Amino acid sequence: MATEGVGARLKAARKLAGVTQVWLESRIGYTLSMIKKVEQGSKPASAAFVAESARALGINPATLYGTNGREVVAEPSQDSASIAELRTALDLFDDPRPEGRPLTLAAIDRKLSTVAEDVLRLRLGAAARDLPALLHHLYVLAERPDHKGEQARALLHDAYRLTATVAGRFRQTDLAAIASERHVQIAESTGDPLRVSISKYHRSRRYLQNGDFSAGLRLLERARENVGSNTAGKAVTVQLDLCAAMLAARSGDVVQADGYLEEARSLSTEFRLPEAPYHGVDASMTNILAHWCAAPVENYDGTEAVRRAAEVEIEDPHRPERVGHHHIDMARAWVLHGDRRHALKQLNMARRVAPNTTRHHPAVRETVLAMANADHRATDSLAGFAQWAHIKV
C-alpha cells in the first residue's frame, strides 16, 4: 500500500491542527466522502482540492504535495550552478556586473527569443545559463531615461518573466516569486499596455495555485482592460480566457468554465494563431484544446474528460510541455473513469514527450499512488514507472 502522498500529508496536517474531516468539509468545496477517499489514497487529489485544503489549514500547497526544490538542483551539476548564478543575478539588480562588451538592445532581443524557444522546448538548462548575463546588461540599459530605456525595460520584463518560468520549473519557488514580482512592478514602465495584462495573467496563476479562485477571476477581468482588438490583443485575451476557465472549473462552476473555453475557441477563428507564443502567451489551438480536455478533470469528471480527448488529437512537437501536461491530465481522467491501464498508457506518453516535467509533477505522484492503492499492489509496469519517477509504492 502506498503511504506517501497528499492524502497521508493531509491527514497528518489536519490532526496537527486539531481539526476533523467534518470541519474540513465545512470549509472547502468537497464532500466528506471525497475527503475520506483522498486521505485513504483511493482518489487522487486534484489541484483545486489541494489548494482549498491548504488554504483552510493555513499551510502552503507545497506542504501537502511534499515537493522539495532541492530535489531538482541539490546535486552539483551544470543546472545547479546556473540556478545559483541566476539567483545572484536577481539579487544584483542595484549593483549590475555586465561582462564583456556592452550588448545592444537588438542583440539582447535576439538572445531572449532564443531563451524563450529553449523554455518552450524544455531546454531549461540552456535558458538558465543564458539569463544571468542578459539580466546584468539589461539592468544598466533600463536606467536610461529616454526611449531606449523604455525599450530596455520591456526586454527586462521578458527576462524577468522567463526567469520566473525557469525557476518555477526547477521548483525554486522563492526565486520564481521574486522574478514574478519584478515583472509585475516593471510592466507599467515598458510603454506597452499588453505587458500589464500579461503580468496580471501571471499574477492570477498564484490565486489558481492557492485556491482563491474568485480573486483570480477578478484580476483577469481587470487584465482585459488593457487589451485591444489587434492580433496581439486577441492572443492575450485567449490566454486570459484559458486561465479564467481553469479558475472557474476549480471553483466548481463548469458552465462558466466552458463559456470561457468557447470564447477562446471563437476568438481563435478570428485571427491567424501565432506559431510562437507572444511574450510567453500561448494562444495556440494545442493550448486551447488541452484546456478544454482538462477542465472536467478539475471537477473529478473523468468520463467527460475522456470523451473530449477522444474528439481531438493533441500533438505538437513545438510544445512538449503542453502536450506532456495534457497526457498527465488524461491519466488522472482515466483513473477517475476507472481504467488504470489507459491511465498508465497516458503517463508513459507524458514521459516520452516531457520526461523532466512528468518526473517532477505532483499530479503524477498522486495518480500513481491512487493506482497503486486501488490495486492493493503495484503491477510490474506500474512499479517500473514509479521507480523511474522516484515514487515509492
Side-chain angles (χ1 to χ4, degrees):
M1 293 286 288
T3 57
E4 295 186 356
V6 166
R9 295 187 186 93
L10 175 61
K11 184 177 181 180
R14 182 175 56 74
K15 289 190 172 182
L16 187 64
V19 299
T20 65
Q21 292 177 332
V22 174
W23 178 92
L24 187 60
E25 180 195 23
S26 70
R27 283 160 176 78
I28 66 175
Y30 294 90
T31 65
L32 181 61
S33 174
M34 179 60 71
I35 294 170
K36 288 180 178 179
K37 288 177 180 177
V38 169
E39 288 197 359
Q40 292 166 357
S42 61
K43 284 282 187 182
S46 69
F49 182 97
V50 172
E52 291 192 42
S53 298
R55 187 177 176 82
L57 293 170
I59 58 178
N60 194 296
T63 302
L64 294 181
Y65 280 127
T67 54
N68 184 354
R70 288 176 298 178
E71 294 174 1
V72 183
V73 293
E75 297 298 325
S77 66
Q78 195 170 40
D79 286 347
S80 61
S82 297
I83 290 296
E85 290 180 13
L86 194 54
R87 189 177 293 278
T88 299
L90 270 185
D91 191 51
L92 292 178
F93 68 96
D94 57 350
D95 184 24
R97 305 293 177 89
E99 296 181 356
R101 297 177 60 182
L103 295 178
T104 64
L105 291 175
I108 294 174
D109 191 16
R110 288 193 297 271
K111 192 62 179 176
L112 283 173
S113 294
T114 300
V115 172
E117 180 68 13
D118 285 337
V119 170
L120 189 64
R121 298 295 188 93
L122 296 180
R123 297 189 290 258
L124 301 175
R129 289 191 293 275
D130 288 338
L131 279 166
L134 296 175
L135 285 170
H136 282 292
H137 282 276
L138 282 169
Y139 291 150
V140 175
L141 294 169
E143 291 298 318
R144 293 179 56 166
D146 55 10
H147 181 60
K148 292 290 186 181
E150 189 176 72
Q151 290 178 310
R153 289 189 292 276
L155 293 177
L156 185 55
H157 181 266
D158 283 336
Y160 279 145
R161 176 182 50 75
L162 289 165
T163 296
T165 300
V166 170
R169 302 280 168 79
F170 280 108
R171 286 199 205 161
Q172 306 304 294
T173 54
D174 62 325
L175 195 63
I178 292 171
S180 293
E181 287 297 332
R182 298 270 183 85
H183 78 66
V184 169
Q185 292 168 0
I186 204 173
E188 293 279 0
S189 64
T190 63
D192 183 357
L194 274 180
R195 290 181 179 275
V196 177
S197 295
I198 290 170
S199 283
K200 287 180 178 176
Y201 153 69
H202 285 283
R203 281 178 61 196
S204 73
R205 295 190 63 78
R206 300 182 208 166
Y207 294 110
L208 183 69
Q209 294 163 359
N210 294 323
D212 196 347
F213 308 125
S214 59
L217 285 168
R218 291 196 302 272
L219 180 60
L220 289 177
E221 284 303 312
R222 297 203 303 276
R224 295 171 189 273
E225 298 171 0
N226 298 302
V227 300
S229 57
N230 60 13
T231 299
K234 287 180 180 179
V236 172
T237 301
V238 167
Q239 186 69 82
L240 297 178
D241 281 338
L242 297 182
C243 190
M246 289 299 101
L247 283 159
R250 291 188 184 182
S251 72
D253 194 333
V254 179
V255 174
Q256 186 183 31
D258 280 346
Y260 283 120
L261 290 166
E262 180 57 35
E263 182 178 68
R265 293 182 77 163
S266 178
L267 273 173
S268 71
T269 65
E270 297 178 10
F271 69 103
R272 183 177 179 182
L273 294 173
E275 294 182 5
Y278 174 81
H279 298 301
V281 169
D282 189 2
S284 68
M285 188 55 69
T286 297
N287 202 21
I288 293 171
L289 293 177
H291 278 79
W292 181 64
C293 293
V297 185
E298 301 300 336
N299 286 283
Y300 284 92
D301 190 350
T303 300
E304 174 61 14
V306 167
R307 185 194 69 78
R308 292 186 180 190
E311 293 185 6
V312 299
E313 186 173 350
I314 298 181
E315 294 183 6
D316 191 336
H318 302 292
R319 291 171 171 81
E321 187 190 31
R322 179 66 271 176
V323 176
H325 203 293
H326 167 71
H327 291 306
I328 291 170
D329 287 332
M330 289 307 100
R332 293 169 56 205
W334 279 108
V335 167
L336 295 171
H337 189 60
D339 190 329
R340 290 182 289 279
R341 182 177 65 84
H342 273 87
L344 183 58
K345 180 180 178 180
Q346 290 292 325
L347 288 175
N348 280 314
M349 292 173 73
R351 174 182 176 179
R352 286 194 294 272
V353 174
N356 193 58
T357 298
T358 304
R359 173 175 272 144
H360 297 294
H361 201 291
V364 170
R365 180 180 297 273
E366 291 308 303
T367 301
V368 169
L369 293 179
M371 292 166 67
N373 274 327
D375 287 335
H376 300 293
R377 63 183 179 84
T379 62
D380 290 343
S381 53
L382 179 61
F385 181 91
Q387 183 178 23
W388 169 81
H390 307 308
I391 300 171
K392 295 179 181 179
V393 296

